[in-house]
Amino acid sequence: MYSDKVIDHFTNPRNVGEIEDASGVGEVGNMKCGDIMKMYLKINDETNMIEDVTFKTFGCGAAIATSSMSTEMIKGKTINEALDLTNRAIADALDGLPPVKMHCSVLAEEALKAALLDYQKKSGKNLGLNEEDFEDWDEQ
Amino acid sequence: MYSDKVIDHFTNPRNVGEIEDASGVGEVGNMKCGDIMKMYLKINDETNMIEDVTFKTFGCGAAIATSSMSTEMIKGKTINEALDLTNRAIADALDGLPPVKMHCSVLAEEALKAALLDYQKKSGKNLGLNEEDFEDWDEQ
Amino acid sequence: MRKVYLDHAATTPVRQEVLDAMMHVFKEVYGNPSSIHQFGRPARKLMEEAREKVAKAINADPKEIVFTGSGTEADNIAIVGGARANKKKGNHLITTVVEHHAVLDAFKALEKEGFEVTYLPVDADGRISVDDFKNALRDDTVLVSIMHGNNEVGTIMPVEEIGAICRERKILFHTDAVQTVGKIPVDVKAINCDFLALSGHKIYGPKGIGVLYMRRGVRTQPLYFGGGQERKLRPGTENVANIVGLSVAIELAVAEREQESARLSALRDKLIDGILGSIEETRLNGPREQRLPHNVNVSIEYIEGEALLLSCDMKGIAASSGSACTSGSLDPSHVLMAMGLTHTTAHGSLRLSLGKATTEEDVDYVIEQLKPIADKLRAMSPVWER
Amino acid sequence: MRKVYLDHAATTPVRQEVLDAMMHVFKEVYGNPSSIHQFGRPARKLMEEAREKVAKAINADPKEIVFTGSGTEADNIAIVGGARANKKKGNHLITTVVEHHAVLDAFKALEKEGFEVTYLPVDADGRISVDDFKNALRDDTVLVSIMHGNNEVGTIMPVEEIGAICRERKILFHTDAVQTVGKIPVDVKAINCDFLALSGHKIYGPKGIGVLYMRRGVRTQPLYFGGGQERKLRPGTENVANIVGLSVAIELAVAEREQESARLSALRDKLIDGILGSIEETRLNGPREQRLPHNVNVSIEYIEGEALLLSCDMKGIAASSGSACTSGSLDPSHVLMAMGLTHTTAHGSLRLSLGKATTEEDVDYVIEQLKPIADKLRAMSPVWER
Ligand SMILES: Cc1ncc(COP(=O)(O)O)c(C=O)c1O
Ligand SMILES: Cc1ncc(COP(=O)(O)O)c(C=O)c1O
Ligand code: FES
Ligand code: FES
């Protein structure tokens, strides 16, 4: 059912945990299945570089693997690069997900955007993120 | 499905054939399945003894076996004894018939009664048989 | 005594390759295909491979294959489910008088629900006419079911022509290919059908498994309800062993078809000629041309079918008189009656259906044995005047 | 790595005795049971012997046994067929919220046809109350279906009491005994049921075969149509191999029941105590008493079920989270939700179902492995605050 990469990221998830003094924290719930993901970002205010990122996920194998993969994909990247990350790109990086599990990858994309929104609020920078977009997502 | 006795009478039917100068001939059709049985009786007018009996049957294994068995059961018997023969007795003598095949044994009883009716007509004796009864049977 | 099984149209033995594949499932892959663990995943995988094999065998897409519990079930989901699901589009259905009971009785049930059904007549060979079909079409015709090949008399129906007309008029077309797969080409695209029914046990696969082909985009309804298996059309834990068995059976049947059908056709013709040549007042039921390669059906006049069967059985010859399913019933075959046979002639019919194990010696043996059987029964028959 | 199959409630491997009996059918008795010749008669005979065995196992008469293609089918013929056939007598039906989908979805379909259905609630242990049932009864109640034992949480229902009330009021009573046969006594006379459903693959028999017990004189309707097999309730060529296989399976299951159930109950309790004792914030779903001997169902809070299953699978432990049939779906188990669990707790449920092959070492192994799995997943969980 799951690709070897999914199984690998599920079995050995990268970047699990919390960041005490995170620059931004995002928590999203997946309305479709009741699962929850929380993402912590440590951002260099000067360079806009994501220096550290961690996650915590209550969710299925696909949710955990996409959480793990997404942190790998944005670590060391700039905020702009992170904003371009889509759930499809995460799924592709995992060699795909079963169709019924595609929605799980949305969790990772959403958590990241929520964390960046939190950073936007805290830092006062304008990243072009909109609170309302998230409320919409929540009801998807 | 069939008892050994049915198979025996089907494989080696007794008294197959016609009697040229029969005292009575009965032919009945089984409305339920379209099968036909013809019975020939040779009756001693003095003693009322059935001296010979033969049959011809177009019908299933049960029809052939009951035809054969019924001729055995009445050969050498009196008309009165023959009148008492029921299809159930024939079936019993064959160690039973499958329920869906019970109606086939009626063919033998009917053919016998029809032959006796024919004898009643030809001989002028009153055996107490009624033409109308047979018409009823036909529609059973 | 020689044993000659000539009832392959009723059912076939399971071939060794199929049995081996099934044993593998029974022993090694016993998980529930819906389970996500290591016992369930291989079961799912085998099932999906089986689906691909079946799809390939009839030129379909794996997504168009639904595994059912029998050919009967496949026919019913197509016809009863198809008619109910498309009721809004129209109320008129068309089939033939010579269908298998799995089809006929489905239509009878739909009639009780208020559908109108036209039963197309057949000619003396058991074939419908395309003109009759065209005349039967109405604006509110929603579903047509015409069998590919007849199980009793082997008549092959003009399904490609019917299919093309239905497709053009956007009418659902189902065909029952239970008797034809592995015997003549069965290609859902060439037939232009929306549904097609198959059964495992007619092609040396197991009993209790069928296939419904369902063209992409076509709608039907389940007839019973439960888990989500087979897209909810056939709920219940999947019979993985039988699914795999059927897939092996159909793959082999299609691969061997051309050669085996040529062999069977030759034996069939020899058997027909042998019987007609040796027993007087005997007729062939069904056509000489466009006939399924494994089917012989003759009426030996003045003899009743069951007596004939029993007598054959005593000589080791297993045959059938009309459809196996109806042999418990007393009515003469509805197929033979529809072809215009008299009650008596229909009663005296004998179906000899050939198969993989049938040899030329078997055919010779049957020809040799049948004549004395006929003589003996005729000597007993009040309608035989000779 | 050790492999521990603890998903026996989803399906069981076919036991050797069953396989042997089936192989005999496949190899020697391949005729169609409806055929009257020497290949058909032994098949018919085996089938009727199988019917006797099944009847004996549940204290019924052979005439009351109908072979179906699955447990799902048996449930549907009883419920959908039973309700439709007795529609004239009334329009109200009663079942429970915790039935298997084969039952629940049948009732949903009947609702669409205009029947009114009362779904009885359950208590925290998953059990209905007889008082609730009595209150739900109406003058126009025609059919009641209450499962004998629950497949997810192992709750045994008070079916004898329900049965007695239904019998007195001449209401049809069906019970789904798919999970209970071979585990607790299943006696149709003691239960006072009119219908009862069984399935082969839960008792070390083959998949794709079920049994409908139907009390003499009770009326139902077929859901699909065709030949006259199984009194027209389940048309289609009979699956002789599976019928024989099921009969051997049920005979052995009933013979071994007492001893095996005692063994399983002890292992079950050890497993429950072991898990609850080693992992904090874990709850048992379903009752401690009146629980099926093979069922363990726990919720490990703050963990999601699929992640738990996958982790178990990586340690060789095959389990399930809710019903196997629903594991493709995303909704948490309807049974656990009905018992009052929160969405999150229901999501973290794990069903471990024991069987013939389960040993004490297996149980020890699971207890040992589960704690680190729970720790690891909780460490990853945003809802676990420790
Ligand atoms: C309680 C219950 N009823 C019905 C079924 C359906 O049985 P089957 O898979 O044979 O259709 C199952 C198992 O899947 C079950 O556990
Ligand atoms: C033409 C045809 N259709 C349908 C069926 C029914 O198939 P099954 O026995 O698998 O239900 C049969 C055979 O019995 C058949 O010959
Ligand atoms: S995140 Fe809920 S099913 Fe994957
Ligand atoms: S006489 Fe017609 S079936 Fe027996």
Side-chain angles (χ1 to χ4, degrees), chain B:
Chain B
M1 175 171 82
Y2 287 134
S3 70
D4 290 345
K5 278 212 185 135
V6 172
I7 295 294
D8 174 35
H9 275 267
F10 170 72
T11 325
N12 309 298
R14 298 14 163 203
N15 310 308
V16 175
E18 299 173 16
I19 298 176
E20 284 281 294
D21 52 343
S23 327
V25 178
E27 176 168 346
V28 292
N30 196 328
M31 278 305 120
K32 206 152 179 186
C33 52
D35 295 336
I36 298 164
M37 185 179 166
K38 213 164 168 176
M39 193 172 278
Y40 302 79
L41 298 175
K42 175 97 194 145
I43 296 174
N44 185 319
D45 288 327
E46 310 279 288
T47 61
N48 278 346
M49 179 86 84
I50 300 172
E51 294 185 331
D52 199 11
V53 46
T54 61
F55 79 92
K56 282 205 158 183
T57 293
F58 168 86
C60 70
I64 290 172
T66 49
S67 306
S68 165
M69 176 55 92
S70 67
T71 60
E72 289 255 287
M73 290 172 87
I74 57 165
K75 204 171 187 173
K77 297 279 155 59
T78 62
I79 290 177
N80 270 339
E81 285 172 312
L83 280 169
D84 285 343
L85 188 72
T86 63
N87 74 309
R88 181 153 292 283
I90 307 169
D92 286 348
L94 287 165
D95 292 344
L97 285 173
V100 301
K101 289 293 183 175
M102 272 309 287
H103 77 277
C104 314
S105 60
V106 175
L107 208 58
E109 183 187 329
E110 281 181 26
L112 170 61
K113 302 250 157 98
L116 289 171
L117 182 71
D118 185 44
Y119 176 66
Q120 171 176 278
K121 265 194 263 173
K122 283 183 184 152
S123 68
K125 292 185 188 170
N126 186 354
L127 308 176
L129 291 170
N130 245 315
E131 197 118 13
E132 297 92 69
D133 297 345
F134 292 87
E135 278 153 23
D136 280 3
W137 283 359
D138 257 16
E139 273 140 41
Q140 264 173 2

Side-chain angles (χ1 to χ4, degrees), chain D residues 298-325:
Chain D
V298 291
S299 280
I300 304 182
E301 304 272 9
Y302 315 115
I303 295 185
E304 193 274 346
E306 199 216 70
L308 193 52
L309 282 193
L310 278 178
S311 304
C312 286
D313 191 43
M314 283 165 189
K315 297 293 176 190
I317 302 164
S320 127
S321 173
S323 168
C325 302

Side-chain angles (χ1 to χ4, degrees), chain C residues 31-46:
Chain C
N32 189 323
S34 299
S35 303
I36 62 170
H37 50 61
Q38 62 195 306
F39 294 83
R41 289 192 306 264
R44 161 78 44 199
K45 187 155 170 278
L46 278 186

Side-chain angles (χ1 to χ4, degrees), chain D residues 121-138:
Chain D
V122 294
D123 62 19
D125 278 346
R127 193 174 286 118
I128 57 159
S129 102
V130 177
D131 281 338
D132 280 353
F133 170 69
K134 284 184 191 154
N135 291 335
L137 282 170
R138 303 190 336 202

Side-chain angles (χ1 to χ4, degrees), chain C residues 9-10 70-73 75 100 102 147 149 151 176 178-179 199 201-202 209 325, chain D residues 236-237:
Chain C
S70 62
T72 298
E73 223 177 275
D75 279 328
H100 189 271
M147 73 198 313
N151 47 306
D176 176 334
V178 168
Q179 288 289 337
S199 177
H201 71 100
K202 310 282 186 182
I209 186 77
C325 304
Chain D
T237 305

Side-chain angles (χ1 to χ4, degrees), chain C residues 32 224 229 234-238, chain D residues 9-11 69-75 98-103 147-152 176-180 197-202 206-210 323-325 351:
Chain C
N32 189 323
Y224 56 100
Q229 295 94 342
R234 210 281 173 171
T237 306
E238 299 92 338
Chain D
T11 197
S70 63
T72 298
E73 223 178 276
D75 279 326
V98 294
E99 299 293 315
H100 188 271
H101 278 292
V103 170
M147 72 197 315
H148 194 195
N150 187 276
N151 47 304
E152 293 194 33
D176 177 335
V178 168
Q179 289 289 338
T180 51
L198 300 176
S199 178
H201 71 100
K202 310 282 186 182
K207 296 178 176 62
I209 186 77
S323 168
C325 302
R351 182 184 70 180

Side-chain angles (χ1 to χ4, degrees), chain C residues 88-271:
Chain C
K88 259 186 262 162
K89 294 190 201 145
N91 199 46
H92 180 240
L93 315 168
I94 301 176
T95 187
T96 81
V97 287
V98 294
E99 299 293 315
H100 189 271
H101 278 291
V103 170
L104 272 187
D105 290 8
F107 279 103
K108 299 250 168 70
L110 288 170
E111 275 184 309
K112 283 198 201 132
E113 290 178 21
F115 284 95
E116 274 180 71
V117 182
T118 301
Y119 297 91
L120 297 175
V122 293
D123 62 20
D125 279 346
R127 192 173 286 118
I128 57 157
S129 102
V130 176
D131 281 338
D132 279 352
F133 169 70
K134 285 185 191 155
N135 290 334
L137 282 170
R138 303 190 336 200
D139 285 342
D140 63 342
T141 307
V142 280
L143 185 143
V144 171
S145 180
I146 295 186
M147 73 198 313
H148 194 194
N150 187 276
N151 47 306
E152 294 194 33
V153 294
T155 311
I156 299 170
M157 293 287 195
V159 288
E160 291 84 357
E161 287 175 72
I162 305 288
I165 298 168
C166 287
R167 183 64 49 88
E168 200 192 297
R169 298 185 51 147
K170 295 205 167 63
I171 296 168
L172 289 176
F173 177 45
H174 168 60
T175 189
D176 176 334
V178 168
Q179 288 289 337
T180 52
V181 67
K183 303 293 185 313
I184 56 173
V186 173
D187 176 327
V188 295
K189 302 225 165 54
I191 298 175
N192 268 318
C193 56
D194 298 289
F195 299 108
L196 182 141
L198 300 176
S199 177
H201 71 100
K202 310 282 186 182
I203 53 170
Y204 309 94
K207 296 178 178 59
I209 186 77
V211 166
L212 173 65
Y213 158 80
M214 205 175 122
R215 194 163 70 90
R216 197 179 305 227
V218 161
R219 271 166 47 83
T220 184
Q221 273 180 13
L223 270 63
Y224 56 100
F225 313 96
Q229 295 94 342
E230 298 302 289
R231 286 185 281 151
K232 274 194 162 283
L233 286 174
R234 210 281 173 171
T237 306
E238 299 92 338
N239 190 342
V240 186
N242 275 16
I243 287 171
V244 168
L246 178 140
S247 76
V248 173
I250 199 171
E251 185 175 51
L252 291 168
V254 167
E256 297 167 359
R257 186 187 59 75
E258 242 176 305
Q259 207 178 340
E260 177 65 1
S261 287
R263 193 185 75 87
L264 289 179
S265 298
L267 290 177
R268 171 198 67 193
D269 292 340
K270 180 171 183 182
L271 185 53

